[in-house]
Amino acid sequence: MSSGKASAANPIVPVGVTSALTTKSALAAVAPAPHHDGTDDWTIPPAVLRHEYFVQVTTSLAAALEELNTRMIAKKDHRLITKKRQRPFGGKTVPAGFVGVWDRNGRPVIATRSGNYWNFSIRHAWKETYELTMPIDCLGLTTVMVGQSEAAVVLDPSNRVFIVRNSGFAAFGAQGRFRVVAVVDTLNLGNEHAHYEDNDRKNGRILGWKRDVTITIKSDAGPTQVTLATFFLVPANNTLILQRGNELMVLKAGQHVITNPNTSFRGFLTLGERQTTFKTQPAYTVEGVPVILRVNLRYQIQDPLLLTAHYDDPLQALSNPAQSAVNSVVSRLSYQQFMRAKSIGGDVPDHHVETWLESFKTECLRDLREQAVTYGIIVHSFDVLDRELEGALGRDLELQSEQVLRNQMQATQIGLQNHIMTETQRGKLATAQVEAEQRKTVADADYYVATKKSDAQYYEVLKQAEAEAESSALRTTQEAKNILALAEAKANEVQMLSKAYGEVPEGHAQRMQLSQFEVEKRKVLPKSTIYFEGGSGASQAGVVNGFETGAGWALAQSTIGQSSTATRK
């Protein structure tokens, strides 16, 4: 059975210091122990339950008060619940969910039902109303109700401490009273009560919560704080270590409480894998050079009881074995093996560094594991992060080594710069070659474009000359055709005129001439001229014939002109 399973199955596993020293796995070796008084005791003690005026709540607090009243009446004691009747108005009002309390000669008289109450007794003095869900402590009457995650710390009349969880009670103390000291939320003890790993509240991991419930007692030396109970809240995969005398107890994750003053708190421990980084004390090489290492340990607690039997903290248990392992290995190594590299891993390449480092880690880890297992711790890894030299000799050697390393770095830098310059020049040469190829390509492209452009221009000029020659030939042909058509039209015109003149009757020409003269004469005369008919009828007939002839002549001329125009076209 593993340690985690044993812790889960057995909430409290006590083991003596002697057995813890001799047992390799204490959690698996011991059997479950009987109940330890005052540890994880969430029940009400039988002595308190036997108190005549103590009633545990089973159904409701009002029912518990009724039972307490019945017991007090049976014992011939005063009545706890008043016999006053509820009134429709006036008096003292008791709201629902509250109880009203009167003081009757220093003893409480209460009203559990809501309503208005009149007080006709001079011995009853009104105190106040109390909420049933809140703790009540008045005139010897004590009540409390707590939920599933709450716990009430109570003192009985004999000053015995007990815890009430997920329940409640109603009690009356005629000689000494029950006192509710505090009501604690067991699931939230508060960040101010948290315990952190390595006591680092800023970056540390929470190991658990611990809250002390105290009261103040007056003494000759003045007020004194006395712890009545201590509550613990343990996260998953963590454990709580308690001690009673020479006996150690481990408690699993969850909620815990102790009320026994003989039980003391040792600490919280985590069962998960953890790691820590620290510097060792100076270890001396073969030449006597002091070397300080910064190491990283990865470990896991296997047996919390075995560890707590010797140390309160795993770092305390690991620091001495780690220093012993480092001293054992460093004392067999020379100074040169530590100085082959400025830091572990090698700033300057050296094939001996990894060999030395792996050998160192293997030997230290082996020695550390052999010593840590005796304290219930398993070491998973041991890593060397850095090393430094101490003392005047160490500082001198460190300076010399730094100078050597500086020279090596400078040489490396110079070689790197030369390599960079060479590569830069090669790059420039390659760039120039590429640019030359680009220029050649551009020139070839321009020549090709110019050639194509010249061929296109020549072809265009040739085509234009051919088009102009063809156009000129067509124009000359058309002009010749036009001239022939015009000549033919002129000839037809002359023929038509000759024919027309030949067909004119004899004497008609003379009459036409006279008619024309007459027309011209009339054009010269003003428009207001009045014409009179002459005496000779022959002359009048001649004038009329002249007008007709002139009109015919004009019509003939217009007809000939139109024919000539049509012929030209």
Side-chain angles (χ1 to χ4, degrees):
M1 183 181 296
S2 63
S3 61
K5 293 182 179 179
S7 177
N10 307 317
I12 304 175
V13 181
V15 60
V17 175
T18 305
S19 63
L21 289 172
T22 58
T23 305
K24 185 174 182 180
S25 179
L27 288 178
V30 298
H35 175 71
H36 280 67
D37 182 36
T39 303
D40 279 352
D41 190 356
W42 303 98
T43 60
I44 301 175
V48 175
L49 293 175
R50 289 193 297 267
H51 192 279
E52 56 183 357
Y53 292 154
F54 182 91
V55 179
Q56 188 175 6
V57 174
T58 56
T59 56
S60 67
L61 185 57
L65 290 172
E66 293 283 354
E67 174 65 21
L68 179 60
N69 180 59
T70 302
R71 291 186 184 185
M72 294 177 69
I73 294 175
K75 291 290 185 180
K76 307 298 182 181
D77 208 332
H78 81 285
R79 174 182 290 273
L80 177 64
I81 299 178
T82 183
K83 297 173 64 176
K84 293 180 174 64
R85 292 184 300 169
Q86 297 164 291
R87 304 292 180 173
F89 61 88
K92 298 297 182 181
T93 302
V94 178
F98 286 74
V99 294
V101 181
W102 287 271
D103 182 356
R104 180 181 180 275
N105 298 332
R107 286 172 170 265
V109 175
I110 65 174
T112 59
R113 296 182 180 182
S114 60
N116 295 68
Y117 293 89
W118 295 354
N119 182 20
F120 297 105
S121 174
I122 61 175
R123 294 185 300 174
H124 288 187
W126 175 257
K127 291 289 291 183
E128 59 179 309
T129 57
Y130 295 91
E131 189 174 356
L132 281 173
T133 58
M134 300 299 292
I136 300 175
D137 189 355
C138 178
L139 301 175
L141 175 65
T142 305
T143 65
V144 68
M145 281 286 292
V146 291
Q148 293 182 352
S149 65
E150 295 178 322
V153 181
V154 186
L155 276 174
D156 71 353
S158 300
N159 277 344
R160 290 174 297 192
V161 182
F162 63 95
I163 307 297
V164 179
R165 184 182 189 184
N166 193 25
S167 180
F169 69 88
F172 176 73
Q175 298 177 354
R177 63 188 176 93
F178 290 88
R179 179 181 177 185
V180 179
V181 180
V183 176
V184 178
D185 184 357
T186 59
L187 295 180
N188 183 16
L189 299 182
N191 292 331
E192 66 274 12
H193 302 291
H195 284 236
Y196 294 85
E197 191 174 32
D198 299 334
N199 294 324
D200 186 359
R201 300 186 66 88
K202 184 177 181 181
N203 301 317
R205 178 173 176 267
I206 295 180
L207 298 176
W209 289 264
K210 170 180 173 288
R211 177 180 174 180
D212 295 324
V213 177
T214 62
I215 60 171
T216 301
I217 297 178
K218 295 180 180 180
S219 62
D220 296 338
T224 303
Q225 292 286 335
V226 177
T227 300
L228 298 182
T230 303
F231 290 86
F232 301 95
L233 181 58
V234 184
N237 207 31
N238 288 7
T239 58
L240 169 65
I241 307 298
L242 301 177
Q243 181 173 351
R244 180 175 298 170
N246 289 331
E247 190 178 26
L248 295 176
M249 295 179 291
V250 57
L251 277 66
K252 66 175 184 178
Q255 307 162 30
H256 305 281
V257 63
I258 57 174
T259 56
N260 191 333
N262 295 326
T263 304
S264 59
F265 168 70
R266 286 294 301 268
F268 294 102
L269 294 176
T270 178
L271 301 179
E273 186 176 296
R274 306 299 297 162
Q275 67 176 2
T276 182
T277 302
F278 62 92
K279 286 186 176 182
T280 65
Q281 297 297 321
Y284 294 89
T285 64
V286 175
E287 298 86 355
V289 178
V291 179
I292 297 177
L293 301 179
R294 189 164 67 94
V295 299
N296 179 272
L297 287 180
R298 190 163 55 89
Y299 63 92
Q300 186 175 8
I301 299 175
Q302 184 186 28
D303 192 338
L305 292 178
L306 192 58
L307 170 63
T308 312
H310 300 84
Y311 296 95
D312 294 331
D313 185 84
L315 297 182
Q316 298 176 0
L318 289 174
S319 59
N320 290 335
Q323 184 64 45
S324 175
V326 169
N327 291 340
S328 175
V329 177
V330 171
S331 62
R332 301 194 302 269
L333 298 176
S334 63
Y335 162 76
Q336 287 78 9
Q337 291 175 296
F338 286 95
M339 300 310 299
R340 286 191 180 127
K342 173 63 180 175
S343 62
I344 303 303
D347 291 336
V348 179
D350 192 331
H351 65 280
H352 297 294
V353 175
E354 295 299 330
T355 304
W356 162 78
L357 180 60
E358 291 301 326
S359 175
F360 184 85
K361 290 166 54 177
T362 302
E363 293 188 35
C364 287
L365 182 60
R366 183 180 62 252
D367 295 346
L368 181 58
R369 280 178 174 173
E370 292 177 357
Q371 299 183 57
V373 72
T374 60
Y375 303 122
I377 302 176
I378 298 176
V379 180
H380 295 291
S381 67
F382 178 90
D383 298 318
V384 180
L385 303 180
D386 197 2
R387 62 96 186 94
E388 61 183 13
L389 303 178
E390 193 183 47
L393 177 60
R395 287 192 294 272
D396 293 341
L397 295 175
E398 185 78 18
L399 291 176
Q400 294 177 9
S401 300
E402 289 182 356
Q403 184 62 37
V404 172
L405 291 174
R406 192 178 297 110
N407 294 337
Q408 293 178 352
M409 293 176 62
Q410 290 178 355
T412 304
Q413 290 177 355
I414 292 174
L416 181 60
Q417 291 176 357
N418 293 335
H419 178 71
I420 293 173
M421 293 176 62
T422 302
E423 292 299 325
T424 302
Q425 294 298 327
R426 291 178 179 176
K428 290 181 179 180
L429 178 59
T431 302
Q433 292 176 351
V434 172
E435 291 177 352
E437 290 294 332
Q438 290 178 349
R439 287 194 294 271
K440 180 180 178 182
T441 303
V442 171
D444 292 343
D446 292 342
Y447 173 75
Y448 179 77
V449 171
T451 303
K452 291 297 182 181
K453 186 176 181 180
S454 176
D455 293 344
Q457 290 177 351
Y458 171 75
Y459 181 75
E460 182 180 359
V461 171
L462 180 62
K463 288 297 182 181
Q464 184 176 3
E466 292 177 353
E468 289 180 355
E470 185 176 356
S471 176
S472 177
L474 292 175
R475 189 166 51 253
T476 302
T477 304
Q478 187 62 37
E479 288 177 355
K481 290 180 179 180
N482 292 339
I483 292 172
L484 291 176
L486 181 60
E488 185 179 356
K490 286 291 184 180
N492 291 334
E493 180 182 2
V494 172
Q495 291 178 3
M496 291 177 66
L497 287 175
S498 298
K499 184 179 179 180
Y501 288 150
E503 293 178 353
V504 173
E506 186 178 356
H508 180 73
Q510 186 179 2
R511 288 194 301 269
M512 290 298 297
Q513 188 68 34
L514 291 175
S515 296
Q516 185 175 3
F517 288 157
E518 187 65 22
V519 172
E520 292 294 333
K521 182 180 68 173
R522 292 193 178 214
K523 287 183 178 180
V524 174
L525 294 177
K527 294 181 179 180
S528 60
T529 304
I530 300 174
Y531 299 94
F532 296 93
E533 185 179 356
S536 176
S539 61
Q540 293 179 354
V543 173
V544 172
N545 293 332
F547 274 111
E548 293 175 354
T549 304
W553 179 258
L555 179 62
Q557 284 184 342
S558 63
T559 301
I560 294 171
Q562 291 176 358
S563 300
S564 300
T565 303
T567 303
R568 290 189 190 97
K569 292 181 178 181

